[in-house]
Amino acid sequence: MSGTTVNGAPADLAPGTTVADLVAARCTSAKGVAVALNGEVVPRSTWGSTQVTPGDDVEIVTAAAGG
Amino acid sequence: MPETEPTDPFVIAGTVVGSRLLLGTGGMQSPESLAAALIASGTSLATVAVRRVDPGTRHSLVDLLEGLGIRILPNTAGCFTAADAVLTARLAREAFATDWVKLEVIGDDRTLLPDPIELVAAAEQLADDGFVVLPYCGDDPVVARRLEQVGCAAVMPLGAPIGSGLGIRNPHNIELIVEQSGVPVVLDAGIGTASDACRAMELGCSAVLVASAVTRAEDPALMAGAMRDAVAAGRAARLAGRISRRFVAEASSSFEGLVGGGMTIPGPG
């Protein structure tokens, strides 16, 4: 598996890893969380069925203090 | 003083917002002092930024705001292109289940002034996509009109650069924007202290957004309460209709029955 990044950092993911798996591993709660896969928003309803494939660029975001 | 009179509701895109003071959540020392300031401000709408998850973070800003009954207004702070701002807004819609967005597209990293070209482009895309777009913009009435024309639900001109505390540098432009706008005008950025917020309301703005002036004050909760009162006072003064400015004095006491018979008072002009 090469070139996959999660939040800008290289990630070595097991085959078959889904977006839901990533969120569960990195967030204390899925509330207030959103995911983009290669620059497109992944709807919450499809996290469980969306697999991350080699070379994908994943962004997992949430609220932070800000003006 | 109530922050919103029932007869004078603050409405954006058909939704009664409540308080005319919007609060930014950035720059606070702790979640506890943020909560105290939010409560003291009486705000109904607070901005949050959208950032990569930090596994080390324990407290949840979303839970804090929800617990206080405050609506979340996600922003696109830090975006320098329309494309980044549009993706950030779409992520925010998915994360917070709101189609409201404070749209920021910055054009210069020293002044943090908005890029009007990218801003209008992003605003049009998001409005077409069903977002309630509240764009942070310069104090240029022509840009404000363009933003309204592409479907923004409000316009949010700056008083001065973000975090500068310089107040309203061009009150005349703010008045021009208020006078022409068919959507609410929210003064955003540059507020330094309560009198600046009051002035914005006196100029006819529908609301004020304050962040640094509260969160970086020595006593944020005390300043939040001051802002709340200032916004209410400024709104009341605007509705009351101020007197005209005069070049010379106009006595408020009658000269009728003056002891000693009085002197001849020259008429005006």
Side-chain angles (χ1 to χ4, degrees):
Chain A
M1 183 165 305
S2 64
T4 304
T5 61
V6 178
N7 284 350
D12 188 14
L13 303 177
T17 298
T18 66
V19 168
D21 295 333
L22 279 181
V23 171
R26 288 165 186 260
C27 307
T28 48
S29 161
K31 187 178 168 191
V33 172
V35 179
L37 186 63
N38 302 324
E40 296 288 334
V41 176
V42 183
R44 191 174 295 266
S45 58
T46 65
W47 285 0
S49 58
T50 303
Q51 291 191 1
V52 180
T53 55
D56 278 349
D57 175 22
V58 185
E59 294 282 348
I60 309 173
V61 299
T62 190
Chain B
M1 195 174 339
E3 65 270 25
T4 304
E5 300 293 339
T7 53
D8 178 32
F10 173 40
V11 177
I12 293 178
T15 298
V16 177
V17 173
S19 170
R20 292 177 181 275
L21 175 59
L22 282 54
L23 212 64
T25 58
M28 200 63 99
Q29 296 293 328
S30 71
E32 292 74 24
S33 50
L34 175 59
L38 286 164
I39 292 166
S41 74
T43 192
S44 315
L45 188 60
T47 61
V48 303
V50 178
R51 293 290 181 268
R52 289 169 169 168
V53 294
D54 175 2
T57 303
R58 287 284 167 268
H59 62 273
S60 162
L61 194 52
V62 173
D63 287 342
L64 171 64
L65 294 170
E66 280 187 3
L68 294 172
I70 297 170
R71 178 190 284 264
I72 290 172
L73 178 60
N75 69 30
T76 63
C79 292
F80 277 75
T81 66
D84 283 352
V86 167
L87 175 60
T88 302
R90 288 182 174 147
L91 283 164
R93 176 164 65 180
E94 185 68 20
F96 314 124
T98 177
D99 50 16
W100 288 36
V101 63
K102 176 187 165 181
L103 180 63
E104 290 184 46
V105 189
I106 301 304
D108 178 73
D109 61 6
R110 199 165 73 89
T111 60
L112 300 180
L113 291 171
D115 181 327
I117 313 299
E118 294 290 309
L119 182 66
V120 172
E124 184 162 24
Q125 281 186 61
L126 290 170
D128 288 350
D129 197 13
F131 280 86
V132 173
V133 183
L134 287 68
Y136 162 65
C137 56
D139 59 12
D140 180 344
V142 176
V143 173
R145 181 183 289 141
R146 288 286 184 135
L147 289 164
E148 183 176 344
Q149 285 171 346
V150 300
C152 291
V155 290
M156 304 213 295
L158 55 75
I162 292 169
S164 70
L166 289 171
I168 301 170
R169 305 312 297 169
N170 195 338
H172 182 63
N173 272 24
I174 299 299
E175 282 188 294
L176 285 172
I177 293 171
V178 166
E179 189 258 338
Q180 74 179 19
S181 290
V183 294
V185 178
V186 180
L187 197 289
D188 183 7
I191 299 285
T193 187
S195 54
D196 298 329
C198 189
R199 180 89 194 278
M201 299 305 291
E202 289 173 348
L203 292 172
C205 294
S206 295
V208 172
L209 196 159
V210 178
S212 304
V214 164
T215 62
R216 297 198 164 99
E218 283 187 28
D219 185 336
L222 190 59
M223 184 61 88
M227 291 294 179
R228 169 190 172 135
D229 292 346
V231 166
R235 179 63 180 173
R238 172 72 179 188
L239 295 178
R242 60 152 298 152
I243 61 167
S244 306
R245 290 176 174 84
R246 294 173 61 90
F247 190 63
V248 294
E250 183 182 43
S252 59
S253 303
S254 170
F255 286 95
E256 197 78 21
L258 185 69
V259 173
M263 54 182 185
T264 304
I265 306 298

